[in-house]
Amino acid sequence: SVLKYDLLTGDILWEANLPQTRGLAYLSVSDNELYAQTTATTDKFFVLSTDTGEIIRQIIGTAIFASTDKVNFQRSTVSNELNMIETDTQRTIWTAKLSYSFLLLPIITDNEILIRTDIGGIYCLDRETGVVRWSTENIAISNLAIGENLVYFLTRDGKLQGVDLQSGKPEQFVQFDTDRFPLNGEVHIGGYNVAYDPTMKVVFVQL
């Protein structure tokens, strides 16, 4: 099941049970919708309302990483390609090629798709065309979070980094104790997490 909590009180706002699943692999929020990639005998992708927890859409398979009522965003299972596919006709609208694969669910905004690859690189793609607007070196060890037109993530050298959403230019950082970070080690998915609360305008960091 998926639960939504009130950050200030800790109260449970809603709970959604996902049918015929063994557990959750990844969660992501885009366009006021919650994307849930699950594990089961047949993997499923769910789209839920962030307001109510209601299941809006349910898709079989792990290739889908985002879905609207008009298009699906799909990753290739044999290459590092991403595709935007029209749901009615299954026509491929665009294809984007990345240097590396990714497991973390991307962030989808009105105009961008933000991806953190398995080795820590970040790509920002134009949502309508699939063109890469900017990318970074393999520096990220956490998920990505967006707030106040900045993209936040933790880096190998112990920083909470904020880069401009439009250009990828570094704008803010907070330095942490580097003993907590794998400066030359592997990037573990799920080992470090960041989140942005737009109400309080604060960034939460899990070290």
Side-chain angles (χ1 to χ4, degrees), residues 11 16 42 72 110 126 144 151 154 158 173 175-176 190 194:
D11 295 336
T42 302
N72 288 330
D110 291 340
D126 185 282
L144 308 177
V151 182
L154 292 168
F173 75 88
Q175 182 70 60
F176 292 104
V194 297

Side-chain angles (χ1 to χ4, degrees), residues 17-187:
N17 293 312
L18 306 181
Q20 299 178 335
T21 61
R22 291 184 307 195
L24 286 170
Y26 304 104
L27 291 173
S28 178
V29 176
S30 298
D31 293 340
N32 294 318
E33 293 181 340
L34 176 66
Y35 300 143
Q37 183 71 63
T38 68
T39 56
T41 304
T42 302
D43 291 337
K44 296 181 180 180
F45 182 85
F46 291 88
V47 181
L48 292 80
S49 166
T50 55
D51 292 329
T52 65
E54 175 189 1
I55 297 175
I56 301 172
R57 289 181 296 281
Q58 180 181 159
I59 304 169
I60 300 295
T62 59
I64 302 295
F65 65 83
S67 174
T68 72
D69 57 348
K70 295 182 179 180
V71 298
N72 288 330
F73 296 93
Q74 188 176 52
R75 56 187 159 196
S76 170
T77 57
V78 295
S79 66
N80 300 326
E81 290 182 348
L82 286 76
N83 301 288
M84 184 166 79
I85 299 174
E86 200 169 46
T87 52
D88 290 340
T89 65
Q90 293 300 299
R91 177 177 66 91
T92 299
I93 300 172
W94 56 253
T95 297
K97 179 74 172 179
L98 304 182
S99 299
Y100 297 95
S101 61
F102 65 92
L103 288 176
L104 288 174
L105 291 180
I107 298 176
I108 313 293
T109 72
D110 291 340
N111 301 303
E112 297 88 16
I113 301 176
L114 288 159
I115 299 166
R116 204 218 80 177
T117 69
D118 294 346
I119 64 169
I122 300 172
Y123 286 85
C124 178
L125 278 60
D126 185 282
R127 176 169 170 165
E128 295 302 315
T129 66
V131 172
V132 177
R133 292 185 181 176
W134 54 265
S135 61
T136 72
E137 297 180 351
N138 304 323
I139 58 175
I141 60 172
S142 72
N143 65 310
L144 308 177
I146 296 180
E148 299 296 308
N149 207 41
L150 294 177
V151 182
Y152 293 99
F153 54 91
L154 292 168
T155 67
R156 289 176 182 268
D157 58 352
K159 293 187 181 72
L160 171 63
Q161 182 72 66
V163 302
D164 184 83
L165 175 59
Q166 306 302 321
S167 66
K169 178 183 177 181
E171 297 288 347
Q172 299 177 357
F173 75 88
V174 176
Q175 182 70 60
F176 292 104
D177 181 1
T178 55
D179 290 341
R180 294 176 176 268
F181 295 83
L183 300 183
N184 298 306
E186 296 181 357
V187 177

Side-chain angles (χ1 to χ4, degrees), residues 4-14 197 199-200 204:
K4 179 180 178 179
Y5 289 87
D6 187 303
L7 277 177
L8 296 179
T9 66
D11 295 336
I12 296 176
L13 301 179
W14 54 253
D197 178 30
T199 303
M200 296 188 289
F204 294 89

